[in-house]
Amino acid sequence: MAFSHKQIAESIHGVFNILGVEKCESYFLFYGETALGNGFRAFLYFLGLAYCFIGLSAITARFFRSMENVVKHTRRVVEIDPSTNADIVKYEKVWNYTIADITLLAFGTSFPQISLATIDAIRNIGSLDAGGLGPGTLVGSAAFDLFPIHAVCVVVPKAGELKKISDIGVWLVELFWSFWAYIWLYIILEVWTPNVITLWEALLTVLQFGLLLTHAYAQDKRWPYLSLPLTRTERPEDWVPAEATSCKYESKVCNEYSELHQVGEDEIKDIVDSFSIHSRKGTGPVYEEVPSTDDVAESSNRYKQNKINLENSHVLKLWKQQFADALMLESTESRKLNNVYLRLARISWQLLLAPWRLLFAFVPPYHISHGWIAFICSLLFISGIAYVVTQLTDLISCVTGINSYVIAFTALAAGTSWPDLVASKIAAERQTTADSAIANITCSNSVNIYVGIGIPWLIDTAYNFVVYREPLRIQNAEGLSFSLLVFFATSVGCIAVLVYRRVTLGAELGGPRLWAWVTCVYFMLLWIIFVVLSSLKVSGII
């Protein structure tokens, strides 16, 4: 393949840059960093990036716990039995299953990418050219979600265990909007207004997220004319197995505050609780007959008063305990280990996590305001880490000469998609069906485009429209469009295999060990194809 003189010059420039012939004058903390060699600086910045991803995993675990408290919130409804004239107290879930999957679950796991793209857009505000770090990360994250996470979820179930999607109609709706998101992105980049994004295109991109929510809710409720005529498979009695359900769901109020989950490895195990929104126990209306309205009011007031007193006495203790646990380097389980090397490894890991755990201890306990305060604080910390990640990525690109799109497709996409991987893996391992594991993947891809790319572009296009009366120019739009085409082609191959497994094996996940691993390797090959072709295109090599 013939190279142009410009491409050869850029390649040579990148090689010389990483060898240290040219110095990158930008720095992260101190100007003295510029005196170091570019290779050593790149090594240090990559270490910093990896450490940020560790912190991102830790705060995301707290985010999941707060989100689980938000989702499990119920409302109390009192109705009158017409036959006995007695009051019936009914407790109903506030959140709908499907809407919770798309908004809280998918949005939560995608928030690192969304915040990174938004920060990148804010940094470029006032410029007619859009930043490439955000879109590159989000498209790369979509590929990581679809291929490596599917690959992990397929082999996670035990040998011979089959897990299928029970509500195929909702999944098809989510899959349609996921595919359409990338088709739409290609249209506005190459067909409608090539290489530029207008204010109306950005606004329409964001509004389509509302259409996704409406369509998915209509399918879940089986609205006529708006839903597919597909029956939902009977959900099992325990949507989440009993051993995977937190004790808080069966305990009294006083036990709700008896445990404090640490940030890190212990808390990541508890991410499964975020999927308990699909537990049949407590999700459907729970009825309770009471003799009179006065008794109901008195009982309710007594219950609320007891709960408030418990909150006042326990929440502050829990918050204080969070700081104590953050500084504890060895747990009770670790002390029981006879292997000295294993104990040292665990202590080293806890020592590595200690700064993050101490920082995240400032996040209030999840029990306050149904978890909303912890939810918002976790998002703020995620945004802060995302800002540091953008700075480190710019420096890595500066000292190595590697195109920022390539870093976004690979390192940033994989690092920021780690919460998606953890969430889907635990769902595939613990849940009795494949709904949440696969829904998290498809919904996250939709959220990446409609929200993750739509909102940053809306910010920049609105500013440019008001100040310059100009649209937003997309740098390397051709490379981004090429990546979308490659992603679309490989994703068809991925979905085709899932459908084939559904037809032949009866389930999307699990099955015979050999075929599970063959599927896993196939999905990973699709991801490698996407990364290699996309990186070569944005680098100008093909």
Side-chain angles (χ1 to χ4, degrees):
M1 181 178 294
F3 289 87
S4 66
H5 294 293
K6 182 178 179 181
Q7 292 171 338
I8 295 176
E10 289 178 350
S11 301
I12 295 175
H13 172 78
V15 173
F16 284 159
N17 199 10
I18 195 169
L19 292 176
V21 176
E22 293 186 7
K23 289 290 183 181
C24 174
E25 296 301 324
S26 300
Y27 57 91
F28 182 62
L29 294 176
F30 310 104
Y31 181 76
E33 297 171 20
T34 57
L36 302 174
N38 281 351
F40 185 63
R41 289 179 66 187
F43 174 74
L44 291 179
Y45 295 147
F46 271 115
L47 281 183
L49 199 63
Y51 194 61
C52 284
F53 292 151
I54 293 175
L56 196 62
S57 298
I59 189 59
T60 303
R62 281 191 177 272
F63 175 86
F64 273 119
R65 294 291 301 174
S66 61
M67 182 183 68
E68 182 262 345
N69 270 25
V70 171
V71 172
K72 74 175 186 179
H73 183 210
T74 59
R75 61 171 173 260
R76 186 171 178 272
V77 180
V78 180
E79 296 180 351
I80 298 177
D81 189 343
S83 59
T84 62
N85 204 29
D87 291 338
I88 298 178
V89 179
K90 181 172 65 173
Y91 294 93
E92 295 179 341
K93 282 284 186 180
V94 174
W95 285 88
N96 172 267
Y97 298 144
T98 301
I99 298 301
D101 270 341
I102 299 175
T103 54
L104 294 179
L105 182 58
F107 180 81
T109 55
S110 299
F111 193 78
Q113 302 95 297
I114 295 172
S115 58
L116 189 148
T118 304
I119 292 171
D120 187 44
I122 294 174
R123 291 192 311 162
N124 286 277
I125 200 167
S127 172
L128 293 177
D129 295 324
L133 196 61
T137 302
L138 288 162
V139 175
S141 174
F144 189 90
D145 287 350
L146 192 64
F147 305 126
I149 296 182
H150 265 128
V152 171
C153 289
V154 166
V155 297
V156 159
K158 299 177 182 178
E161 185 180 10
L162 294 172
K163 296 187 178 183
K164 67 177 182 178
I165 300 172
S166 66
D167 198 339
I168 195 69
V170 171
W171 178 69
L172 289 176
V173 168
E174 294 167 347
L175 185 64
F176 164 77
W177 283 100
S178 175
F179 272 105
W180 168 249
Y182 293 91
I183 296 174
W184 166 256
L185 194 59
Y186 182 84
I187 290 174
I188 61 178
L189 282 174
E190 294 292 336
V191 180
W192 198 344
T193 53
N195 302 326
V196 298
I197 299 297
T198 65
L199 176 61
W200 290 108
E201 289 172 337
L203 184 60
L204 286 175
T205 302
V206 176
L207 291 178
Q208 287 182 74
F209 182 66
L211 295 178
L212 163 62
L213 290 175
T214 304
H215 194 185
Y217 184 78
Q219 179 64 41
D220 182 73
K221 295 299 183 179
R222 298 303 191 267
W223 287 357
Y225 307 110
L226 293 179
S227 61
L228 298 173
L230 297 173
T231 58
R232 180 189 291 118
T233 305
E234 182 66 22
R235 291 172 177 171
E237 183 64 25
D238 290 321
W239 191 264
V240 180
E243 62 270 16
T245 306
S246 174
C247 64
K248 291 186 294 185
Y249 296 105
E250 287 121 11
S251 63
K252 299 297 182 182
V253 179
C254 59
N255 291 330
E256 290 185 3
Y257 308 99
S258 61
E259 294 182 2
L260 177 67
H261 298 276
Q262 299 177 6
V263 177
E265 59 179 5
D266 293 335
E267 189 160 336
I268 291 176
K269 296 175 183 176
D270 295 326
I271 293 178
V272 66
D273 289 341
S274 65
F275 297 98
S276 61
I277 56 177
H278 299 295
S279 176
R280 182 158 184 169
K281 183 180 298 182
T283 57
V286 178
Y287 298 97
E288 174 185 336
E289 187 169 326
V290 294
S292 67
T293 305
D294 293 337
D295 291 337
V296 171
E298 182 180 354
S299 176
S300 176
N301 291 335
R302 188 184 306 115
Y303 173 81
K304 290 180 180 178
Q305 187 63 39
N306 291 337
K307 187 170 183 178
I308 290 173
N309 293 334
L310 285 168
E311 286 179 354
N312 293 334
S313 61
H314 286 276
V315 169
L316 291 179
K317 293 181 181 178
L318 284 176
W319 206 342
K320 180 181 178 181
Q321 187 64 30
Q322 287 182 173
F323 289 92
D325 290 337
L327 299 176
M328 186 173 61
L329 299 181
E330 192 172 14
S331 63
T332 305
E333 293 181 0
S334 180
R335 294 191 185 98
K336 297 178 181 179
L337 294 175
N338 296 325
N339 192 321
V340 177
Y341 298 104
L342 188 57
R343 287 185 63 183
L344 287 176
R346 288 200 172 191
I347 293 175
S348 300
W349 175 250
Q350 294 299 326
L351 186 64
L352 189 66
L353 281 176
W356 290 122
R357 295 173 59 177
L358 185 61
L359 179 63
F360 300 150
F362 286 96
V363 176
Y366 325 110
H367 317 93
I368 304 175
S369 301
H370 301 293
W372 278 109
I373 297 179
F375 184 89
I376 295 172
C377 289
S378 298
L379 293 184
L380 293 176
F381 275 111
I382 291 174
S383 299
I385 296 175
Y387 176 76
V388 176
V389 167
T390 58
Q391 299 297 318
L392 290 173
T393 304
D394 287 342
L395 288 170
I396 291 173
S397 180
C398 181
V399 299
T400 63
I402 301 175
N403 191 299
S404 60
Y405 271 103
V406 176
I407 301 175
F409 281 139
T410 53
L412 289 188
T416 56
S417 295
W418 180 256
D420 290 289
L421 176 62
V422 173
S424 291
K425 173 188 175 295
I426 294 178
E429 183 178 20
R430 301 289 183 87
Q431 286 191 334
T432 54
T433 66
D435 290 71
S436 284
I438 296 181
N440 180 47
I441 297 171
T442 53
C443 294
S444 293
N445 286 350
S446 299
V447 170
N448 283 346
I449 299 299
Y450 299 133
V451 179
I453 291 182
I455 289 181
W457 280 356
L458 184 60
I459 294 172
D460 284 344
T461 53
Y463 184 88
N464 288 358
F465 179 80
V466 173
V467 177
Y468 305 117
R469 298 291 176 180
E470 292 285 342
L472 182 67
R473 294 196 295 259
I474 306 299
Q475 295 178 335
N476 207 345
E478 182 182 356
L480 188 59
S481 301
F482 178 82
S483 298
L484 291 172
L485 290 177
V486 175
F487 173 76
F488 188 83
T490 50
S491 61
V492 170
C494 175
I495 300 302
V497 169
L498 290 178
V499 173
Y500 179 76
R501 287 176 56 88
R502 174 88 176 200
V503 173
T504 57
L505 300 177
E508 291 80 11
L509 306 181
R513 216 60 184 158
L514 175 61
W515 290 112
W517 278 106
V518 168
T519 307
C520 174
V521 172
Y522 171 73
F523 287 159
M524 292 302 298
L525 286 176
L526 291 179
W527 182 62
I528 293 174
I529 291 172
F530 168 82
V531 170
V532 171
L533 292 180
S534 298
S535 299
L536 292 177
K537 181 64 177 180
V538 298
S539 300
I541 298 178
I542 61 174

